[in-house]
Amino acid sequence: MPLYESQSIKIYNSLNGEKQDFEPIIPGYVGMYVCGPTVYSNVHLGNVRTFMSFDIIYRYLKHLEYKVRYVRNITDAGHLENDADEGEDRIAKKARLEAIEPMEVVQRYTVDFHNILNTFNFLPPSIEPTATGHIIEQIEIIKNIIDNGFAYKVNGSVYFDVLKYNESKSYGILSKRKVEDLIHNTRALDGQSDKKNPQDFALWKKAEPQHIMRWPSPWSDGFPGWHLECTAMSTKYLGEQFDIHGGGMDLKFPHHECEIAQAEATNDKAPVNYWMHANMLIMNGKKMAKSTGNYILPNEIFSGDNPHITKAYLPSVARFFMLQAHYRSILDFTNNGLLASEKGYFRLMDAINLMDNLKTSSTSSVDIQNWRQKCYDAMNDDFNTPVLIANLFDGAKFINQIKDGSATITHEDLDLLKSTITTFTFDILGLKNSDKEVVGSDKLSSAVEILINLRKEARVNKDFALSDKIRDELAEAGIQLQDGKDGTTFTTN
Ligand code: AMP
Ligand code: ZN
């Protein structure tokens, strides 16, 4: 019997604001789509937080033995500045500033995205499609929406007719906005006058002569609107109706609202059963964002090279920090928060690394079965990682009590304790054990780790001349070692 039959999940559905029993369309199979990054700059830690929330969900669904098809796209065209229907394409703008091809921008930041996610130990999605790889599919959807009477053509562009759609459907169903209230931003932006109503949104835009990212279509040489790609790719790989659609809270409106409208206008069906939105990472009381300069890059966390932090942190520590908040809560990024998470992470690892040397008894004084189910209950309750982590700390406490003789455990229970704590810590939360974790992902980091370990050995042997020599010569080479309570880390300059 697959695990999902004995563990039933509840998911908070943004569509109705309720926690609902999760029932996939096809029993045993899950289709999940998550909006991916716009690859015009390095991902910041806020972006990582959203993708991490869905990495955990993916890991847990897989653990429950669902067959999951997880689609996370790459936005490599169509996302304009300010999320609006006017202005420059973000990727084309970067290409212009750096005097390189747009696809060079896409390549550079896609590689960066993958490197960062790898360092954080993410599982790759099942499919990672790109917007530019699905222009034909997007054009087909526009044709259908026009045929169904929900879009109109003006001067080579095509717009979605929100008022027409709202006569028979419900625009605002997800974001709970009223169409009448949406007549905001009536500023006469370039080309805005093409729209019948300001709340209409672009499905296809005719390219201005200077716009280099362009494709032929029945209406003009141009490019698709930003919202359309996700409708095209989710429908293609998951079907007209699928189980879970995710993204950051800031995508709920207009992006996801428009996705629903496009899909309904094409197929006359609600595309998604469970809409999930991850909350924001904030810093200095404001949303972490590239555009305002209020952000921290993952590599700065691994090197310690940022004024907001006092030292370098392991990727697993940053991961642990983010998972100590529930995905629907706002999380405030602070150095103190990271320091506390670092302590907690090493406390858990120390306990896990003690497990192989525990003595067993003929009776158990701890109820491992009950504790194990509490770990599942936490994840079954809308993927509550902070409650899970509190339970894992209870597991760590058992281990320490068994070690110091204040608790007993049978051989059988110890096996269950071991398998449960390692499964939840490593497979589901995706943490790496501290002894396997290397700062950064490059060869330099591995080499420095070797020297740190040699220095540790020298100190154990009371060869302080050698240990100081290692530290001083590394410093001369621009690598500073920092001895902390939880071991030695390094920064480079
Ligand atoms: P973008 O590349 O701007 O499309 O963003 C990629 C993902 O990161 C989207 O799902 C956003 O919702 C998410 N995101 C952006 N800023 C933050 C933040 N400060 N905290 C959490 N998620 C964010
Ligand atoms: Zn999307």
Side-chain angles (χ1 to χ4, degrees), residues 36-38 44 46-47 50-51 79 248 250-251 279-281 287-288:
T38 306
H44 58 68
N47 304 131
T50 285
F51 297 125
H79 194 172
D250 54 344
L251 297 186
N279 216 326
M280 296 290 110
L281 185 66
K287 179 186 162 189
M288 194 174 279

Side-chain angles (χ1 to χ4, degrees), residues 80 83-84 102 193 272 312 314 347 373 407 417 451:
L80 306 186
D83 294 347
S193 54
V272 175
L314 293 172
R347 186 148 56 92
Q373 187 52 43
L417 170 62
L451 287 165

Side-chain angles (χ1 to χ4, degrees), residues 124-165:
S126 330
I127 305 178
E128 196 172 47
T130 61
T132 56
H134 297 77
I135 300 288
I136 292 171
E137 288 82 350
Q138 296 183 69
I139 290 174
E140 286 308 303
I141 293 176
I142 300 174
K143 285 186 195 162
N144 281 326
I145 298 178
I146 294 174
D147 287 350
N148 293 342
F150 295 112
Y152 56 91
K153 296 165 266 185
V154 187
N155 296 329
S157 294
V158 182
Y159 293 97
F160 191 95
D161 191 337
V162 171
L163 289 184
K164 179 77 206 308
Y165 174 81

